Amino acid sequence: IPDTLVVIVLTTALSWVAKLGEEHGVVIFGKVDGDLPHFRLPRVPTYADTKDIVSSAITITMIGVVESVIVAREYASRNHYAVSSNRELVALGVSNAVGSAFGAYPAFGSLSRSKLNDRAQAKSQLSGVVTASLVVASLLGLLPYLFHLPRGVLAAIISDAVISLLSATPGAVAFLFKVQAWSDLFLLLFICFCSVAASVETGILLAVIISLVMVIKRSNMPRIKLLGRSTENDNDFYPIDGAPPAAPGTLRRLSFGSSSSNDSQDESVPQSRDNSSSGSLSADTQAQHIDGVLVVRIEEPLYFANAGQLHARLNRMEMYGDMRTHPSEAPRMNPTRAVVFDLVGMSDIDGSALEILLGIVHEYSRREVRVLFVRVCQGVRLRFEQAQMGSAGGEYDFSDIGSALLHLEQQLCIPSSS
């Protein structure tokens, strides 16, 4: 028997026997109209009410969907079952559309009610059917028996369920502090403060808005890294990670390795002898700029949102070799003669991003800068062929960075340092 049901029965009986409501001023459940709602199509709002209705609807939808998704993922992870967000949204939409014809409140997932359902050891969606049946039965015949139920008991049941949801919060805060995720920790504490100081709805709304802003900001910045050649092995390339370029006259010339481009490759996932790992270098190994050549690794698919900043970031790499250098400073790098794009992480590219990339290649070609693409997957290669990337000046038949640099050595007639 659920402990919540036992508490309700016992406290109701105690309140009735001791006359807590009549003689002691305890606020009780009281009499509630239990008539079932009737079917009635919603009225079209007047023009004066439209603004308030639309703003309220947007707020309710955002808060309701977020809370529903949080609940679904929380208990799906806890109980090891899959959740389809698309089906969840369809179910919410259908239920609210039907409920609007009966004057129902907006229906969404609830943290507190889901917690109560979990504590009752519900195992399937049948629990919702049983709950709905009990609600109907209560409306039709059980409400008079709950007349003496103290409202404080109802509040305590909900509070207990919500407090139990916070059991993981101290561990989450400790983890964020341990890994020094200061932005996440600040956001968590700020949203918590807003929820307590204003309302839960305000906190959730702020969390959604801030999250959207962060997603938009991060999606607008393409994940690219400038690679340098290892001082220990000519076939190893590592991210320079903002390390300042070597002093003028000490930059490595094109000392190309003998990496062959004739090895058999899987077109869908190109392989390479190049070690372009993002791991840290040993104390004796350094990643150095290659004089006159930019080696840029694109680590994600390009699409209309993140490709917009690609040109600007390439310009800063070309001038400074370091994304953290302020644009007002004087250029540090020697003139660029070639750009090698490592597309090992770019599994796809949409039409808008392809147009931007094609414009970048045209600009480099106009400046007589060679552009080479290595480790191009089959889907991206097909897009390049359709866009006539070769006619624009881009070459994309190289299996690894080493073979591309060897090709540049032969074409540009730059002597090797070896």
Side-chain angles (χ1 to χ4, degrees), residues 267-280:
E267 288 289 13
S268 60
V269 184
Q271 302 295 323
S272 171
R273 290 178 59 189
D274 300 324
N275 178 10
S276 56
S277 170
S278 59
S280 59

Side-chain angles (χ1 to χ4, degrees), residues 229 234 254-258 293 402 404-406 408-409 414 416 418:
R229 193 194 294 273
D234 283 347
L254 293 177
S255 55
F256 303 99
S258 59
V293 178
L405 295 179
L406 181 61
L408 287 175
E409 177 192 3
I414 297 178
S416 170
S418 58

Side-chain angles (χ1 to χ4, degrees), residues 15-96:
S15 175
W16 174 62
V17 172
K19 298 181 180 181
L20 298 179
E22 295 86 348
E23 299 181 359
H24 299 279
V26 175
V27 180
I28 59 177
F29 191 66
K31 184 179 180 180
V32 178
D33 184 10
D35 294 338
L36 294 178
H38 302 285
F39 179 82
R40 184 178 61 182
L41 290 177
R43 294 182 302 167
V44 177
T46 61
Y47 178 79
D49 297 331
T50 300
K51 180 179 179 180
D52 293 334
I53 292 177
V54 170
S55 61
S56 299
I58 293 175
T59 302
I60 292 171
T61 301
M62 291 181 63
I63 294 174
V65 169
V66 169
E67 188 172 9
S68 299
V69 171
I70 291 174
V71 170
R73 292 182 177 179
E74 168 71 19
Y75 287 99
S77 175
R78 182 178 302 180
N79 298 310
H80 309 290
Y81 60 83
V83 172
S84 171
S85 299
N86 183 54
R87 292 186 178 183
E88 288 285 326
L89 294 177
V90 170
L92 292 173
V94 171
S95 63
N96 283 293

Side-chain angles (χ1 to χ4, degrees), residues 262-343:
N262 298 324
D263 299 335
S264 59
Q265 303 290 335
D266 182 355
E267 288 289 13
S268 60
V269 184
Q271 302 295 323
S272 171
R273 290 178 59 189
D274 300 324
N275 178 10
S276 56
S277 170
S278 59
S280 59
L281 300 176
S282 63
D284 298 331
T285 304
Q286 295 181 353
Q288 293 186 342
H289 292 274
I290 302 175
D291 188 21
V293 178
L294 287 182
V295 181
V296 180
R297 183 173 66 195
I298 301 179
E299 300 183 326
E300 63 180 349
L302 289 180
Y303 63 108
F304 68 94
N306 64 358
Q309 295 291 325
L310 183 61
H311 197 183
R313 300 194 74 188
L314 288 174
N315 284 340
R316 290 186 66 177
M317 286 184 174
E318 185 177 349
M319 290 189 294
Y320 307 109
D322 184 355
M323 287 302 300
R324 297 178 298 180
T325 304
H326 196 274
S328 63
E329 298 186 17
R332 301 177 180 179
M333 304 292 289
N334 291 335
T336 300
R337 303 184 60 183
V339 179
V340 178
F341 290 100
D342 181 9
L343 305 187

